[in-house]
Each structure stands twice: as structure tokens, then as C-alpha cells.
């Protein structure tokens, strides 16, 4: 069993979203992304399917040019190679589930402008 918390050791970065690996399983990586209001992740694609949970806050989630307003409790899945972006409408905590084959470094690069 592995245990972590989305609420412990939260660090808001003033310049860009803060990314932390919560834990890895045999098949996934569980990531926490902490956004201050107006921070964003530019449009990007993933090499594998992902799952995104809005744990706290509100995120404008763009998918192929369509904007979805996601709020606390919303959960979405996205297939690989679909262009998407995120903009925090207020301070937010997002849980991202990646394939074990994906890299956290790729996610970090998306936050760099």
C-alpha cells in the first residue's frame, strides 16, 4: 500500500504551477499540481492517456479549442495526443494521473513559458 496527501506540504510558486510527485504505482504516477490564480499550463499533448481531478479551485481546461470550466470535484480523462491547456480561475489543486511510462519532466516543461 502507498499513501500520500493532496493537502500536505503544499507550496504555491509565485511564477508558475508547482508540481510534486505524490507516489508511483506499478502502472501510474500520481502528481499534484498547485496553481495560483491565473497561472497556466500552455497547450500540449501527452504520449499516453491521462486523468485529471480538480481537487480544489477552478480550472479552464481547453481541449482541441473547446473550453471546459472544471470545478472542485470534477474528474476528466483524456486520450493520448489530444491538444489541451489549463488556466487557473482561482487558486487550485489538481491531481494528475500519468502512465508509468510518461515522465514528470515532460509535465514540468509544460509549465515553463
Amino acid at each position: 500500500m502507498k499513501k500520500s496527501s493532496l493537502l500536505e506540504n503544499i507550496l504555491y510558486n509565485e511564477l508558475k504551477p508547482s508540481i510534486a510527485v505524490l507516489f508511483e504505482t506499478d502502472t501510474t504516477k500520481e502528481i499534484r499540481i498547485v496553481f495560483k490564480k491565473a497561472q497556466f499550463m500552455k497547450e500540449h499533448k501527452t504520449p499516453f492517456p491521462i486523468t485529471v481531478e480538480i481537487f480544489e479551485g477552478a480550472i479552464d481546461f481547453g481541449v482541441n479549442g473547446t473550453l471546459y470550466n472544471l470545478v472542485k470535484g470534477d474528474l476528466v480523462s483524456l486520450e493520448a495526443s489530444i491538444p489541451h491547456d489549463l488556466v487557473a480561475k482561482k487558486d487550485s489543486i489538481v491531481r494528475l494521473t500519468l502512465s508509468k511510462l510518461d515522465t514528470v519532466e515532460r509535465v514540468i516543461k509544460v509549465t515553463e513559458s
Side-chain angles (χ1 to χ4, degrees), residues 3 5 7 15 27 63 65-66 71 82 85 90 93:
K3 180 183 178 292
S5 172
L7 296 173
L15 302 176
T27 58
V63 179
T66 301
V71 296
I82 305 292
D85 61 88
K90 57 183 171 179
I93 299 172

Side-chain angles (χ1 to χ4, degrees), residues 31-111:
I31 311 295
R32 178 183 61 207
I33 307 173
V34 178
F35 293 85
K36 290 195 65 70
K37 181 179 179 177
Q39 288 181 336
F40 64 93
M41 294 179 75
K42 61 190 173 192
E43 186 177 77
H44 59 285
K45 298 177 185 179
T46 64
F48 304 96
I50 60 169
T51 301
V52 176
E53 174 192 1
I54 310 307
F55 181 77
E56 190 66 57
I59 298 286
D60 278 347
F61 193 80
V63 179
N64 272 333
T66 301
L67 192 62
Y68 298 91
N69 182 258
L70 303 181
V71 296
K72 181 178 180 173
D74 285 346
L75 185 66
V76 297
S77 66
L78 198 63
E79 293 302 317
S81 302
I82 305 292
H84 60 284
D85 61 88
L86 296 83
V87 179
K89 301 312 288 178
K90 57 183 171 179
D91 291 357
S92 300
I93 299 172
V94 173
R95 186 181 116 212
L96 171 64
T97 302
L98 297 178
S99 164
K100 180 78 167 188
L101 302 174
D102 206 344
T103 67
V104 176
E105 292 75 23
R106 181 194 61 75
V107 178
I108 292 169
K109 286 181 183 175
V110 174
T111 66

